[in-house]
Amino acid sequence: MKKRTFLKVSTIAAAGSIILPLGCTTETQNSEEKANKQSVVQEFTLPDLPYGFDALEPHIDKRTMEIHHGKHHAGYVRKLNAALKGQEQIAGKSLEEMMGAIGPEQTALRNNGGGHYNHSLFWKMMSPNKSEPKGDMLSVLKSAFGSYDEFKEEFANAAKTRFGSGWAWLATDQNNKPIVLSTPNQDNPLMGKIVGKTHYPLFGIDVWEHAYYLKYQNKRGDYINNFFDLINWEAVTKRYFDRVLKR
Ligand code: MN
């Protein structure tokens, strides 16, 4: 995840030592100490797409990609940064760590942090080049689902039956076993405090209407069936085995 970190240094304490009246020595020292600690504020940025806006045509059209990335995803990033102001405890975390720390009542962080995480992963795990799982990745899917086709059926079903807005996911459980699940709105499998159990997302499909409506209108099923041609199995395989090796 792209993240820009910069430092904010207060100069108030330095000025205060000059203007404070006698008897305020202790306060002056405290404020100087605070200033010297330098509060670290992180700001998230919109990642570039790893391909052109028209690269996923005909399955996802250029205009949808422009609006989805440039308006929707950009909006989540902007509102996430706004929501993090003054929340130093959570603002110091990586985006992935943040997902596990967010509680159900933290609406702005939940919706916009989730929105930023989910879309960043979504772009990376698609590719203009059609591929299929191979080798060890295929074996892992076969042992979990029976076959690649059975995985596709389960994933498509999760995406088609998600009522309203949300995502369907291929994720891994605590034993590195792949599972299919779905979450509402911008929640995701890393949000253990919200979805109940933490899973590690390998990729997801965005089934918000903004992801497909210009081209597909009410035909969510056609969008989902075409999505299988866009999965970047090389990237998914790397993500899976990086995860397994880390444990
Ligand atoms: Mn979206």
Side-chain angles (χ1 to χ4, degrees):
M1 256 11 93
K2 250 191 196 170
K3 173 176 78 172
R4 197 174 57 208
T5 305
F6 56 89
L7 301 172
K8 264 189 183 172
V9 185
S10 168
T11 54
I12 294 167
S17 63
I18 300 163
I19 58 167
L20 275 172
L22 289 171
C24 293
T25 321
T26 314
E27 273 179 33
T28 308
Q29 279 172 348
N30 283 346
S31 58
E32 275 174 357
E33 277 168 26
K34 272 185 203 160
N36 289 338
K37 270 190 182 168
Q38 299 183 341
S39 61
V40 178
V41 179
Q42 68 175 345
E43 193 156 281
F44 291 100
T45 56
L46 179 66
D48 289 336
L49 289 180
Y51 33 70
F53 289 107
D54 61 354
L56 304 183
E57 290 203 0
H59 302 316
I60 304 180
D61 61 287
K62 183 183 179 192
R63 190 74 190 120
T64 295
M65 290 297 285
E66 286 171 344
I67 298 169
H68 201 174
H69 178 264
K71 303 291 181 194
H72 291 281
H73 189 175
Y76 296 125
V77 173
R78 192 177 62 248
K79 290 176 203 162
L80 170 62
N81 286 329
L84 285 171
K85 294 246 160 69
Q87 304 224 36
E88 289 185 12
Q89 219 179 348
I90 206 158
K93 295 181 185 301
S94 72
L95 187 58
E96 190 172 317
E97 288 170 336
M98 200 182 287
M99 296 302 104
I102 297 170
E105 309 303 323
Q106 291 170 290
T107 312
L109 288 177
R110 175 181 180 178
N111 292 339
N112 299 297
H116 180 35
Y117 183 90
N118 297 348
H119 288 85
S120 299
L121 184 63
F122 186 52
W123 312 133
K124 276 199 300 191
M125 294 297 144
M126 290 192 289
S127 162
N129 307 312
K130 187 178 172 181
S131 63
E132 293 209 346
K134 287 186 281 198
D136 291 343
M137 189 74 235
L138 182 60
S139 303
V140 167
L141 290 174
K142 276 184 178 170
S143 70
F145 302 103
S147 66
Y148 179 48
D149 280 344
E150 282 166 283
F151 153 73
K152 281 163 70 172
E153 199 181 324
E154 190 172 332
F155 185 86
N157 190 47
K160 286 169 188 172
T161 56
R162 163 52 53 196
F163 183 74
S165 299
W167 294 73
W169 304 95
L170 177 65
T172 63
D173 70 7
Q174 297 305 305
N175 302 313
N176 300 321
K177 187 185 170 195
I179 60 161
V180 164
L181 43 94
S182 87
T183 53
N185 304 313
Q186 295 298 353
D187 293 350
N188 65 50
L190 286 173
M191 294 178 174
K193 289 183 178 175
I194 293 169
V195 297
K197 202 169 178 189
T198 304
H199 294 97
Y200 182 74
L202 297 174
F203 66 83
I205 180 172
D206 186 345
V207 293
W208 284 58
E209 285 187 346
H210 70 223
Y212 64 87
Y213 205 83
L214 283 182
K215 180 179 170 71
Y216 294 92
Q217 289 86 48
N218 60 318
K219 295 175 189 144
R220 184 194 277 195
D222 290 354
Y223 159 68
I224 292 164
N225 291 339
N226 287 337
F227 174 77
F228 292 107
D229 285 356
L230 299 175
I231 299 168
N232 184 343
W233 279 105
E234 196 184 327
V236 174
T237 301
K238 184 176 185 313
R239 186 171 169 85
Y240 176 76
F241 285 102
D242 282 354
R243 172 72 178 177
V244 170
L245 291 173
K246 254 204 260 172
R247 293 187 156 178

Tab-separated table of all heavy atoms in Angstrom, residues 75-98:
chain	number	residue	atom	x	y	z
A	75	GLY	N	-12.147	9.150	-3.519
A	75	GLY	CA	-13.000	9.644	-2.424
A	75	GLY	C	-12.749	8.896	-1.124
A	75	GLY	O	-12.702	9.502	-0.048
A	76	TYR	N	-12.569	7.576	-1.220
A	76	TYR	CA	-12.285	6.797	-0.005
A	76	TYR	C	-10.954	7.250	0.608
A	76	TYR	O	-10.835	7.362	1.820
A	76	TYR	CB	-12.229	5.288	-0.316
A	76	TYR	CG	-13.542	4.712	-0.811
A	76	TYR	CD1	-13.612	4.025	-2.025
A	76	TYR	CD2	-14.711	4.847	-0.067
A	76	TYR	CE1	-14.813	3.495	-2.484
A	76	TYR	CE2	-15.904	4.321	-0.519
A	76	TYR	CZ	-15.958	3.644	-1.731
A	76	TYR	OH	-17.146	3.128	-2.179
A	77	VAL	N	-9.956	7.482	-0.246
A	77	VAL	CA	-8.643	7.901	0.256
A	77	VAL	C	-8.756	9.261	0.955
A	77	VAL	O	-8.249	9.448	2.070
A	77	VAL	CB	-7.616	7.969	-0.902
A	77	VAL	CG1	-6.302	8.572	-0.421
A	77	VAL	CG2	-7.379	6.583	-1.491
A	78	ARG	N	-9.455	10.185	0.324
A	78	ARG	CA	-9.607	11.530	0.885
A	78	ARG	C	-10.341	11.483	2.228
A	78	ARG	O	-9.915	12.090	3.206
A	78	ARG	CB	-10.369	12.405	-0.119
A	78	ARG	CG	-10.359	13.895	0.200
A	78	ARG	CD	-11.073	14.712	-0.877
A	78	ARG	NE	-12.482	14.362	-0.995
A	78	ARG	CZ	-13.050	13.742	-2.047
A	78	ARG	NH1	-12.317	13.420	-3.100
A	78	ARG	NH2	-14.337	13.474	-2.060
A	79	LYS	N	-11.411	10.718	2.277
A	79	LYS	CA	-12.198	10.666	3.522
A	79	LYS	C	-11.492	9.856	4.609
A	79	LYS	O	-11.678	10.117	5.786
A	79	LYS	CB	-13.590	10.079	3.234
A	79	LYS	CG	-14.459	11.041	2.417
A	79	LYS	CD	-15.792	10.402	2.073
A	79	LYS	CE	-16.418	11.062	0.855
A	79	LYS	NZ	-17.471	10.224	0.259
A	80	LEU	N	-10.678	8.872	4.201
A	80	LEU	CA	-9.872	8.135	5.188
A	80	LEU	C	-8.877	9.085	5.841
A	80	LEU	O	-8.738	9.103	7.070
A	80	LEU	CB	-9.132	6.970	4.501
A	80	LEU	CG	-8.066	6.257	5.351
A	80	LEU	CD1	-8.690	5.606	6.598
A	80	LEU	CD2	-7.340	5.199	4.524
A	81	ASN	N	-8.182	9.881	5.035
A	81	ASN	CA	-7.208	10.822	5.596
A	81	ASN	C	-7.890	11.814	6.537
A	81	ASN	O	-7.346	12.148	7.595
A	81	ASN	CB	-6.467	11.556	4.472
A	81	ASN	CG	-5.458	10.641	3.780
A	81	ASN	OD1	-4.901	9.744	4.411
A	81	ASN	ND2	-5.228	10.859	2.503
A	82	ALA	N	-9.077	12.250	6.172
A	82	ALA	CA	-9.815	13.184	7.038
A	82	ALA	C	-10.201	12.494	8.354
A	82	ALA	O	-10.079	13.084	9.431
A	82	ALA	CB	-11.057	13.690	6.320
A	83	ALA	N	-10.622	11.231	8.264
A	83	ALA	CA	-11.059	10.497	9.455
A	83	ALA	C	-9.894	10.195	10.404
A	83	ALA	O	-10.089	10.004	11.598
A	83	ALA	CB	-11.744	9.195	9.052
A	84	LEU	N	-8.677	10.155	9.853
A	84	LEU	CA	-7.512	9.818	10.681
A	84	LEU	C	-6.968	11.018	11.455
A	84	LEU	O	-6.150	10.854	12.363
A	84	LEU	CB	-6.391	9.236	9.807
A	84	LEU	CG	-6.616	7.798	9.344
A	84	LEU	CD1	-5.576	7.397	8.319
A	84	LEU	CD2	-6.590	6.847	10.535
A	85	LYS	N	-7.412	12.211	11.096
A	85	LYS	CA	-6.927	13.415	11.800
A	85	LYS	C	-7.274	13.314	13.279
A	85	LYS	O	-8.429	13.090	13.641
A	85	LYS	CB	-7.578	14.667	11.197
A	85	LYS	CG	-7.159	14.927	9.755
A	85	LYS	CD	-6.350	16.196	9.613
A	85	LYS	CE	-5.546	16.192	8.319
A	85	LYS	NZ	-6.396	16.306	7.122
A	86	GLY	N	-6.267	13.459	14.121
A	86	GLY	CA	-6.507	13.432	15.566
A	86	GLY	C	-6.624	12.038	16.159
A	86	GLY	O	-6.850	11.890	17.344
A	87	GLN	N	-6.491	10.993	15.332
A	87	GLN	CA	-6.581	9.614	15.852
A	87	GLN	C	-5.193	8.986	15.801
A	87	GLN	O	-4.944	8.086	15.017
A	87	GLN	CB	-7.539	8.784	14.998
A	87	GLN	CG	-8.904	9.396	14.898
A	87	GLN	CD	-9.990	8.352	15.072
A	87	GLN	OE1	-9.860	7.418	15.857
A	87	GLN	NE2	-11.058	8.512	14.322
A	88	GLU	N	-4.292	9.508	16.653
A	88	GLU	CA	-2.888	9.129	16.522
A	88	GLU	C	-2.633	7.644	16.759
A	88	GLU	O	-1.744	7.072	16.160
A	88	GLU	CB	-2.030	9.980	17.461
A	88	GLU	CG	-1.953	11.405	16.951
A	88	GLU	CD	-1.035	12.281	17.755
A	88	GLU	OE1	-0.276	11.760	18.577
A	88	GLU	OE2	-1.083	13.503	17.530
A	89	GLN	N	-3.441	7.043	17.620
A	89	GLN	CA	-3.210	5.635	17.939
A	89	GLN	C	-3.387	4.755	16.694
A	89	GLN	O	-2.596	3.859	16.437
A	89	GLN	CB	-4.192	5.185	19.007
A	89	GLN	CG	-3.522	4.262	20.002
A	89	GLN	CD	-4.492	3.826	21.068
A	89	GLN	OE1	-5.595	4.363	21.198
A	89	GLN	NE2	-4.090	2.836	21.836
A	90	ILE	N	-4.413	5.043	15.922
A	90	ILE	CA	-4.690	4.212	14.759
A	90	ILE	C	-3.964	4.736	13.530
A	90	ILE	O	-3.610	3.982	12.619
A	90	ILE	CB	-6.217	4.087	14.520
A	90	ILE	CG1	-6.524	2.783	13.778
A	90	ILE	CG2	-6.799	5.284	13.815
A	90	ILE	CD1	-7.937	2.305	13.962
A	91	ALA	N	-3.670	6.027	13.522
A	91	ALA	CA	-3.042	6.641	12.346
A	91	ALA	C	-1.613	6.139	12.142
A	91	ALA	O	-1.070	6.232	11.053
A	91	ALA	CB	-3.070	8.157	12.459
A	92	GLY	N	-0.978	5.603	13.205
A	92	GLY	CA	0.395	5.124	13.069
A	92	GLY	C	0.482	3.730	12.473
A	92	GLY	O	1.570	3.230	12.201
A	93	LYS	N	-0.643	3.093	12.232
A	93	LYS	CA	-0.631	1.712	11.747
A	93	LYS	C	-0.570	1.646	10.228
A	93	LYS	O	-0.979	2.579	9.550
A	93	LYS	CB	-1.912	0.991	12.204
A	93	LYS	CG	-2.030	0.810	13.704
A	93	LYS	CD	-3.311	0.078	14.044
A	93	LYS	CE	-3.556	-0.020	15.535
A	93	LYS	NZ	-2.512	-0.710	16.277
A	94	SER	N	-0.109	0.496	9.718
A	94	SER	CA	-0.201	0.270	8.280
A	94	SER	C	-1.676	0.049	7.944
A	94	SER	O	-2.488	-0.247	8.825
A	94	SER	CB	0.610	-0.966	7.877
A	94	SER	OG	-0.060	-2.133	8.331
A	95	LEU	N	-2.015	0.171	6.670
A	95	LEU	CA	-3.416	0.003	6.273
A	95	LEU	C	-3.924	-1.394	6.658
A	95	LEU	O	-5.041	-1.561	7.137
A	95	LEU	CB	-3.548	0.237	4.760
A	95	LEU	CG	-4.970	0.266	4.206
A	95	LEU	CD1	-5.825	1.325	4.871
A	95	LEU	CD2	-4.932	0.485	2.691
A	96	GLU	N	-3.056	-2.409	6.470
A	96	GLU	CA	-3.470	-3.779	6.793
A	96	GLU	C	-3.704	-3.949	8.293
A	96	GLU	O	-4.690	-4.548	8.713
A	96	GLU	CB	-2.417	-4.766	6.280
A	96	GLU	CG	-2.887	-6.198	6.362
A	96	GLU	CD	-1.931	-7.179	5.672
A	96	GLU	OE1	-1.457	-6.865	4.568
A	96	GLU	OE2	-1.665	-8.226	6.260
A	97	GLU	N	-2.797	-3.402	9.106
A	97	GLU	CA	-2.964	-3.480	10.572
A	97	GLU	C	-4.234	-2.752	11.011
A	97	GLU	O	-4.946	-3.180	11.915
A	97	GLU	CB	-1.779	-2.821	11.283
A	97	GLU	CG	-0.483	-3.592	11.208
A	97	GLU	CD	0.696	-2.765	11.725
A	97	GLU	OE1	0.639	-1.512	11.720
A	97	GLU	OE2	1.684	-3.388	12.120
A	98	MET	N	-4.483	-1.640	10.325
A	98	MET	CA	-5.647	-0.817	10.654
A	98	MET	C	-6.952	-1.611	10.494
A	98	MET	O	-7.873	-1.474	11.285
A	98	MET	CB	-5.645	0.388	9.711
A	98	MET	CG	-6.454	1.568	10.185
A	98	MET	SD	-6.385	2.877	8.925
A	98	MET	CE	-4.727	3.482	9.128
